[in-house]
Amino acid sequence: MDRLRIRVVEWRTAEGEIRDWSTLSGDYIVGPSGNLSLPFIGEMPATGKTTAEIATAIGDELQQKFGLLDRPEASVELAEFRPLFVSGDVQTPGRYPYAPELTVLKAVSLAGGLRRAANSGIRVERDFISARGNYEVLVAQRNGLVARRARLIAEAGGQEKIDFPKELQQGADGKKLMADETAFKAAREKRLQVQLAAIKDLKTLLQNEVGSLEKKIASQNRQMELSKQELEGIGGLAERGLVVNARVLSIERSIAELEGKVLDMEAAVLRAKQDIAKADQDATNLQNDREAEIAQERQQTEADIESLSLKITMYKDLMAEATSLDPQAAVSSSKENAPLTSFSIIRETDGKTTEITAEENTPVLPGDVIKVGVAPVPAN
């Protein structure tokens, strides 16, 4: 498809004049087979030859065909390179003439730049900005929930260190979430330990009190046994009138008081033991409540992550739709979070077609097909 401009002249030595081969002069297109079709000569191979080599071949063929004394001189120049093609997300895809030093960016410019939606660029850009903003907010919320879930898993398993996912270990925001959740886990554990330590101290105090009361009860029982022995010793004497009844009554009253104190102390021991049992139950309840709270928070966190993931997918699809409607509007609205613009070149070499990944400054050759694609930034 290269267009060659050919002009042939002949210097006639015998006549001393120049003869113009106007019938042969003109523009010719290299055919699909890579040959030139010329009058008088017919098919002539052009693939892989320079214009000077083609000019020499034309002169030789004419001289041999017509038996000329002087070889005709031919001039061959490229009048027009074979065209290139631009396809994909451009304003005007199609066929365009090739020019030397053409790059991918220049070719896209020939096609009108990235595609824009007709009469709706502002609306599409506004929709993209709105979807992008909601998308980023939801992604931030989801990252926070993912960090919380990692902390809850560590708390439920009694792990000292939180195993955060790799997606949070890349950026500054993720590292801050990790630090916050780590600090929160430490604070919760410290509060639980303080509460358990207070219960343990109360149990120790009550156990000491029980021990002290049991010693006092033993002492009171000993005193009461001695008083009963004393009462037995003077009981017979009182009956014979050898001891006054007041003495007997005093001992009996003392025994009754001792029995009352023992009963009070035994009741205090029972209360203390009940308080110890209650303290044990409080410690168990504290652990159970914490485990139940962790399980409930994790269940709610998983549900929130699932809900946010669905919303993120929705806004990602909305951004993709806006990008498909108007790639240029999406690019202009996204700033540093610009959609991904991809370029590739489909090139035929030695009869084989290959697709090459390209950039804006990649040189373009005649006959290349340039593919342009625009896609939103993938979800984090």
Side-chain angles (χ1 to χ4, degrees):
M1 295 180 70
D2 285 335
R3 183 184 296 275
L4 301 181
R5 183 161 296 150
I6 300 175
R7 185 181 180 189
V8 181
V9 295
E10 177 192 353
W11 169 254
R12 291 188 169 185
T13 305
E15 290 82 359
E17 61 181 16
I18 295 175
R19 177 185 178 185
D20 187 359
W21 290 61
S22 58
T23 305
L24 189 60
S25 299
D27 290 351
Y28 297 87
I29 296 178
V30 179
S33 61
N35 295 333
L36 280 171
S37 182
L38 300 173
F40 307 124
I41 297 176
E43 295 288 323
M44 172 182 288
T47 301
K49 294 184 177 181
T50 65
T51 54
E53 290 172 342
I54 294 174
T56 301
I58 291 173
D60 292 340
E61 288 287 336
L62 291 175
Q63 185 179 22
Q64 292 177 9
K65 188 174 184 66
F66 294 103
L68 302 175
L69 179 63
D70 298 310
R71 189 188 71 173
E73 296 292 335
S75 67
V76 180
E77 63 178 7
L78 268 171
E80 182 180 311
F81 291 94
R82 64 184 182 274
L84 57 90
F85 301 85
V86 184
S87 65
D89 289 317
V90 292
Q91 186 67 16
T92 312
R95 169 179 171 171
Y96 291 92
Y98 177 83
E101 299 183 359
L102 195 66
T103 63
V104 168
L105 183 59
K106 292 177 181 178
V108 172
S109 300
L110 290 175
L114 295 179
R115 180 162 49 84
R116 298 176 294 279
N119 301 323
S120 61
I122 296 177
R123 180 185 65 80
V124 173
E125 182 175 348
R126 183 178 64 248
D127 292 345
F128 185 90
I129 292 173
S130 176
R132 183 76 200 189
N134 290 325
Y135 171 84
E136 291 178 348
V137 169
L138 293 175
V139 167
Q141 292 177 354
R142 184 182 181 279
N143 288 341
L145 291 173
V146 168
R148 181 188 301 176
R149 178 176 62 185
R151 187 253 302 167
L152 291 172
I153 292 174
E155 289 180 337
Q159 302 170 5
E160 182 178 352
K161 186 177 179 181
I162 303 175
D163 185 17
F164 291 104
K166 292 183 179 180
E167 61 188 279
L168 297 178
Q169 302 176 16
Q170 307 299 327
D173 293 339
K175 292 180 180 179
K176 183 178 184 303
L177 289 173
M178 292 166 54
D180 292 343
E181 291 297 333
T182 301
F184 187 58
K185 176 178 179 293
R188 279 164 61 102
E189 289 179 348
K190 182 177 180 181
R191 183 180 65 181
L192 178 63
Q193 294 304 321
V194 168
Q195 292 173 331
L196 292 175
I199 293 175
K200 183 178 180 181
D201 292 343
L202 177 60
K203 281 180 58 180
T204 302
L205 180 63
L206 291 172
Q207 288 169 348
N208 292 337
E209 183 179 353
V210 169
S212 177
L213 287 172
E214 287 176 344
K215 290 180 181 179
K216 287 183 179 180
I217 289 173
S219 176
Q220 294 293 324
N221 286 332
R222 179 63 180 162
Q223 292 182 19
M224 190 165 50
E225 183 65 27
L226 293 174
S227 296
K228 287 180 180 181
Q229 291 176 3
E230 182 182 2
L231 182 61
E232 291 176 359
I234 65 174
L237 297 174
E239 291 178 355
R240 295 194 298 268
L242 298 176
V243 177
V244 294
N245 291 331
R247 174 63 177 163
V248 174
L249 292 174
S250 175
I251 294 174
E252 290 178 345
R253 187 183 306 111
S254 176
I255 291 173
E257 290 177 354
L258 289 172
E259 289 177 344
K261 289 181 180 180
V262 169
L263 290 175
D264 290 341
M265 286 186 232
E266 288 177 345
V269 169
L270 289 176
R271 287 194 299 270
K273 288 182 177 180
Q274 289 177 348
D275 290 340
I276 290 174
K278 183 177 181 301
D280 287 333
Q281 187 62 45
D282 288 344
T284 302
N285 290 340
L286 193 62
Q287 291 280 18
N288 292 339
D289 290 345
R290 174 178 169 80
E291 292 175 0
E293 179 186 2
I294 291 174
Q296 184 177 4
E297 286 186 11
R298 183 176 175 183
Q299 183 179 12
Q300 183 62 46
T301 300
E302 294 285 2
D304 292 342
I305 289 175
E306 182 66 23
S307 175
L308 285 177
S309 296
L310 293 175
K311 293 180 180 178
I312 287 171
T313 301
M314 178 189 69
Y315 283 111
K316 183 182 177 183
D317 291 342
L318 289 175
M319 287 191 293
E321 181 183 11
T323 301
S324 65
L325 291 174
D326 190 348
Q328 185 60 49
V331 170
S332 63
S333 65
S334 59
K335 297 180 181 178
E336 72 273 5
N337 293 317
L340 302 176
T341 304
S342 61
F343 305 102
S344 63
I345 296 175
I346 299 176
R347 180 174 295 164
E348 183 176 350
T349 305
D350 297 331
K352 295 182 179 180
T353 301
T354 57
E355 185 167 352
I356 307 167
T357 301
E359 299 179 352
E360 291 182 347
N361 295 324
T362 301
V364 176
L365 298 180
D368 284 348
V369 178
I370 302 168
K371 292 173 61 177
V372 182
V374 178
V377 177
N380 295 328

